[in-house]
Amino acid sequence: MIIQQPLASQTNEVGLFFGGSLFHGDVGYQNAEHSIMNSKPTLGLNLKRNINYHFSLNLSFIKSELYAHDQSTNDVFALNRNLHFKSKINELSLLLEFNFKPFLSRDPDHNNSTYVFSGISKFFFNPQGQSADGTWHNLRPLATEGQDTDLYPTRELYELNGLAIPIGIGYKISVYEYITLSINAGWRITFTDYIDDVSTTYVEKSLLSELGQELADPSNYNFDSGVQRGNPNNKDKFGFFGINIIY
């Protein structure tokens, strides 16, 4: 039963998020559950409006890094491919939260609940690869899959931003007067396959610079043009897990 106390339940809150990042794409672990092994520190800021005891709106900004390496997997193809990447990730999202139990941080009778959330987000990324000398290089300008070349006219340079649909679950509890702790985890379903700079096939090496050749195929197998490098039918996804401290 939803409690009808609209005036008392409408509150504004601000919070800090601390946690880690998640990534699941063409590079690295093939099971999304294992991506926590490559997690990187994550910080965020939340502005929340509690609409009533069951619904709230959350405007969130999160800053983190994504990382994956084929050497982390047990997949034979990925181990032979030997690709890797890292990317800064910045996300601005608007989320709708639904509390399974009536909840309000200022109401001692309704001070804990499991909740789910979804919404829309805008994110910004920039995949990089590490060359043999230890230097990290931006991968997009290297056109590692022949983007924006005459030989591959359908492969356009990908944008370094995109839209995503966040989905997740959490648990919140009021611990002291107006202080609430919220533990949550969620994935972002994206519409790009290039967060890790890997999607389609290997290309003619003559199209690439020396650095591009090294980072497009760091394996010991010198893969031929046309050999599958990634899976364009599976879009990349990323996510975050951690704790919100809300006031």
Side-chain angles (χ1 to χ4, degrees), residues 157-182:
L157 281 174
Y158 53 85
E159 299 292 334
L160 294 177
N161 62 82
L163 295 175
I165 300 174
I167 53 172
I169 190 170
Y171 176 79
K172 61 181 72 172
I173 182 170
S174 298
V175 293
Y176 178 74
E177 293 186 351
Y178 299 149
I179 303 297
T180 298
L181 297 182
S182 173

Side-chain angles (χ1 to χ4, degrees), residues 217-232:
D217 184 8
S219 73
N220 296 321
Y221 293 87
N222 194 27
F223 288 110
D224 293 331
S225 171
V227 173
Q228 200 68 31
R229 190 169 181 258
N231 184 353

Side-chain angles (χ1 to χ4, degrees), residues 16-18 48 97 115 170-173 180-184 242-246:
L16 293 176
F17 178 80
F18 304 92
K48 181 179 289 189
E97 294 182 4
Y115 66 96
Y171 176 79
K172 61 181 72 172
I173 182 170
T180 298
L181 297 182
S182 173
I183 301 171
N184 65 74
I243 185 170
N244 270 308
I245 304 174
I246 303 169

Side-chain angles (χ1 to χ4, degrees), residues 11 13 50 103-108 110-111 174 177-178 180:
T11 59
E13 298 174 327
N50 293 309
F103 175 87
L104 190 67
S105 60
R106 304 177 186 184
D107 187 340
H110 303 95
N111 65 355
S174 298
E177 293 186 351
Y178 299 149
T180 298

Side-chain angles (χ1 to χ4, degrees), residues 41-239:
T42 300
L43 294 174
L45 175 66
N46 303 279
L47 299 175
K48 181 179 289 189
R49 172 70 168 177
N50 293 309
I51 301 171
N52 54 43
Y53 277 82
H54 285 273
F55 289 96
S56 61
L57 286 175
N58 184 5
L59 181 64
S60 171
F61 174 75
I62 292 181
K63 184 178 184 65
S64 187
E65 181 178 276
L66 307 176
Y67 173 81
H69 200 304
D70 281 342
Q71 294 304 306
S72 302
T73 77
N74 295 320
D75 182 79
V76 175
F77 169 74
L79 288 170
N80 292 337
R81 187 179 58 179
N82 196 35
L83 291 172
H84 69 278
F85 92 104
K86 74 173 183 178
S87 174
K88 299 293 185 183
I89 190 87
N90 296 314
E91 181 200 54
L92 181 66
S93 63
L94 180 62
L95 306 173
L96 178 67
E97 294 182 4
F98 172 74
N99 303 318
F100 287 101
K101 295 168 54 180
F103 175 87
L104 190 67
S105 60
R106 304 177 186 184
D107 187 340
D109 295 325
H110 303 95
N111 65 355
N112 71 91
S113 179
T114 303
Y115 66 96
V116 292
F117 63 85
S118 186
I120 190 169
S121 74
K122 179 77 172 181
F123 65 94
F124 301 85
F125 64 101
N126 185 24
Q128 295 182 317
Q130 188 176 32
S131 58
D133 65 3
T135 304
W136 287 90
H137 304 270
N138 294 335
L139 292 171
R140 181 178 181 268
L142 300 177
T144 56
E145 293 188 352
Q147 296 96 333
D148 207 28
T149 62
D150 292 337
L151 193 57
Y152 300 94
T154 61
R155 299 185 185 181
E156 299 179 354
L157 281 174
Y158 53 85
E159 299 292 334
L160 294 177
N161 62 82
L163 295 175
I165 300 174
I167 53 172
I169 190 170
Y171 176 79
K172 61 181 72 172
I173 182 170
S174 298
V175 293
Y176 178 74
E177 293 186 351
Y178 299 149
I179 303 297
T180 298
L181 297 182
S182 173
I183 301 171
N184 65 74
W187 285 100
R188 274 62 174 169
I189 308 302
T190 79
F191 305 93
T192 178
D193 196 35
Y194 278 108
I195 293 179
D196 53 12
D197 190 64
V198 179
S199 180
T200 57
T201 64
Y202 291 93
V203 297
E204 294 288 345
K205 291 181 172 53
S206 60
L207 294 175
L208 306 177
S209 65
E210 183 177 347
L211 178 60
Q213 293 180 34
E214 176 188 348
L215 296 180
D217 184 8
S219 73
N220 296 321
Y221 293 87
N222 194 27
F223 288 110
D224 293 331
S225 171
V227 173
Q228 200 68 31
R229 190 169 181 258
N231 184 353
N233 297 317
N234 289 335
K235 303 302 183 185
D236 297 333
K237 63 181 178 181
F238 66 94

